[in-house]
Amino acid sequence: LRAAAARRLAVVAGAEGPDGRPLVAAAHPDRWWGVLEPTGSEAAVRPVGEPLSLSGSQLSALSTCPLRWFLEHEVSATVARTTALGFGSVVHVLADHVARGELPPDPEVLEEHVDRVWAELGFEAAWQSSVERTQASAALRRFLAWHTGRPERRLVASEHRFAVELPHGESGVRIRGSFDRVEVDAEGAVHVADLKTQKAKPTGAELEAHPQLGLYQVAVRHGALDELDPESRSAAGLPGPGEAVPVAGAELVLLRHESSGGPLVAGQAPLPEGESWVDQSLEDADALIRAEDFVARPGGQCRFCALRRTCPASDEGREVLP
């Protein structure tokens, strides 16, 4: 019966009018979704023979869910910018201005700047805007407490862009990105800090193998600070370009979470000498991208994923064929 019904439907779908034009072109069997062979592309996702370009956030995304990384970074299947990202951008920009001395570490001055742009973030409800505005004030207050309350650290750079190349994978891996903060301790060792406005806190295990922090440490070891101006390097006691830089670890500064009057700081210990799990992660990332094996990897992150409707591991919005 099902086969007979399908044949009748095919006849109707292929019906033509007196002028020979199809009556229901969109319903023709040649255009039915799900019955055609999968399509492919002869062009590689990333150019063959060239270094693979990756950022710290992309390495984190790949390790979390390869399919989501592919959809977001390679085919731009993204949704509109969220208010959470806008919140983070406002805090990051003001923190950078304070670090560079372009704004004073005065909460009243920062509040005035936030008020100027807050209405542009586009919250869906007034109560949500009010709650997040309070959170923004608290995040900036924690940042200022952290920024001014650690005399044992010297600020070297804020929002420092870098690009280094490592001999991993098929044709090398080019690491690129930006350090939110680079600091040096009393022993002359470098600490990289990443300011976060996320609501979730990483577990100890997640922090130990945090791809972005690990990649930052590797980047510093391979010359990510070579482009600093000589005056800044000298003032911080850093060796010259091309020389080994001691790295004392990296840390997440969680501005939405309070600890002793300031933000919660979650640190990652220094990487061991020689190759580490970060190098293996880069090898794995290169192999995955070159093989174009972008599988869905279900996990806790699925609850907040904006691409659930396109995910074969999710039932939300998935079409079921007979």
Side-chain angles (χ1 to χ4, degrees):
L1 292 176
R2 179 177 295 180
R7 286 195 296 271
R8 288 195 297 271
L9 181 59
V11 170
V12 173
E16 297 179 348
D19 57 356
R21 298 172 61 182
L23 296 177
V24 280
H28 194 279
D30 289 345
R31 303 182 66 177
W32 288 356
W33 182 88
V35 299
L36 302 179
E37 292 297 319
T39 58
S41 173
E42 295 182 0
V45 170
R46 293 294 178 90
V48 177
E50 297 182 13
L52 182 71
S53 182
L54 279 178
S55 65
S57 60
Q58 286 194 40
L59 185 61
S60 292
L62 267 171
S63 63
T64 302
C65 180
L67 178 60
R68 181 175 178 178
W69 173 87
F70 174 74
L71 293 174
E72 289 184 338
H73 294 279
E74 300 303 308
V75 299
S76 299
T78 52
V79 295
R81 186 175 179 85
T82 67
T83 52
L85 288 175
F87 180 110
S89 295
V90 170
V91 173
H92 273 77
V93 168
L94 292 178
D96 181 42
H97 282 305
V98 171
R100 295 175 184 272
E102 297 166 354
L103 284 177
D106 184 334
E108 293 187 3
V109 173
L110 300 189
E111 292 290 341
E112 291 177 1
H113 283 274
V114 175
D115 286 337
R116 292 175 188 171
V117 300
W118 195 255
E120 299 177 13
L121 296 187
F123 289 94
E124 294 183 359
W127 68 265
Q128 185 184 26
S129 175
S130 177
V131 169
E132 289 297 275
R133 182 64 183 83
T134 301
Q135 288 294 316
S137 296
L140 289 170
R141 174 180 55 77
R142 295 182 190 115
F143 165 74
L144 291 178
W146 176 79
H147 173 72
T148 59
R150 297 166 307 123
E152 73 281 3
R153 295 274 190 94
R154 176 191 291 271
L155 175 64
V156 178
S158 173
E159 297 295 338
H160 174 70
R161 295 189 176 277
F162 66 90
V164 298
E165 195 165 316
L166 302 178
H168 293 303
E170 184 178 294
S171 302
V173 177
R174 182 181 293 115
I175 304 173
R176 55 181 174 77
S178 176
F179 299 138
D180 287 348
R181 300 265 295 205
V182 180
E183 301 176 339
V184 173
D185 62 25
E187 284 71 42
V190 169
H191 299 253
V192 176
D194 197 32
L195 305 180
K196 293 291 189 184
T197 55
Q198 65 192 39
K199 296 179 181 180
K201 292 188 291 186
T203 64
E206 290 171 339
L207 189 62
E208 184 179 350
H210 195 282
Q212 192 167 11
L213 294 183
L215 196 64
Y216 284 168
Q217 294 198 57
V218 169
V220 173
R221 288 182 175 181
H222 287 82
L225 301 182
D226 284 355
E227 298 302 318
L228 284 176
D229 63 271
E231 184 177 347
S232 296
R233 299 184 68 92
S234 177
L238 292 175
E243 299 182 47
V245 176
V247 183
E251 55 202 30
L252 300 177
V253 182
L254 303 171
L255 297 174
R256 280 187 182 264
H257 301 274
E258 185 140 351
S259 177
S260 301
L264 177 64
V265 178
Q268 184 182 73
L271 297 176
E273 294 297 326
E275 291 198 355
S276 67
W277 59 267
V278 181
D279 299 278
Q280 186 58 55
S281 294
L282 290 170
E283 292 281 356
D284 294 342
D286 183 89
L288 189 153
I289 293 175
R290 299 299 186 187
E292 302 186 6
D293 185 22
F294 306 118
V295 299
R297 189 172 295 163
Q301 75 279 356
C302 296
R303 294 173 53 202
F304 309 103
C305 181
L307 301 171
R308 290 190 298 271
R309 293 184 179 179
T310 62
C311 180
S314 171
D315 289 333
E316 183 175 333
R318 184 171 59 183
E319 184 172 351
V320 179
L321 298 178

